[in-house]
Amino acid sequence: MDTSFLILSISTLSGFIYLIIGYLLTFKQKADVLNGIDFSKIADLPAFCKYVGNSFLLSGVVQIVVGVLVYLAYLNLMLFIALFVLFSALPIINAVKAVRKFQKSAS
């Protein structure tokens, strides 16, 4: 099996998973797909879901595009790894930011 095809397969599979999670969060407001977040402390749950969901959608699209670019030999392996890791971690970072941003005030 060609290495670039394997990279395309992994990137496409993970990208579609991110797209599904992003769709469920952004459009269906299914916050229960995220674990470890106390939603009773979130002031505006629809805005929280849209913020985090858009991050998942962006990451999914970028992962698929990067996989296609590697397959077509427009990107080298090191740049692929850097972009893949960055956009895999982006939704986690944005979820933590969103919890702080949409947290209910203590008063």
Side-chain angles (χ1 to χ4, degrees):
M1 179 182 290
D2 188 26
T3 306
S4 61
F5 182 73
L6 181 63
I7 289 173
L8 175 66
S9 301
I10 293 170
S11 184
T12 303
L13 178 65
S14 62
F16 277 124
I17 291 170
Y18 273 47
L19 287 175
I20 291 169
I21 294 170
Y23 171 77
L24 290 174
L25 284 170
T26 303
F27 300 110
K28 298 293 184 178
Q29 307 295 315
K30 301 265 186 192
D32 57 342
V33 298
L34 299 175
N35 291 327
I37 297 174
D38 187 9
F39 295 111
S40 65
K41 295 182 180 178
I42 304 295
D44 190 7
L45 192 59
F48 172 82
C49 287
K50 187 171 184 173
Y51 185 84
V52 176
N54 284 338
S55 174
F56 272 98
L57 289 172
L58 172 69
S59 291
V61 168
V62 169
Q63 285 181 358
I64 292 170
V65 168
V66 166
V68 169
L69 289 175
V70 168
Y71 183 71
L72 297 175
Y74 289 116
L75 288 179
N76 62 8
L77 186 59
M78 291 306 292
L79 186 57
F80 164 74
I81 292 171
L83 289 173
F84 190 81
V85 169
L86 174 71
F87 282 98
S88 293
L90 182 69
I92 298 167
I93 295 167
N94 280 338
V96 172
K97 279 179 43 179
V99 167
R100 291 185 182 145
K101 180 178 180 180
F102 294 105
Q103 193 172 27
K104 289 181 182 175
S105 59
S107 57

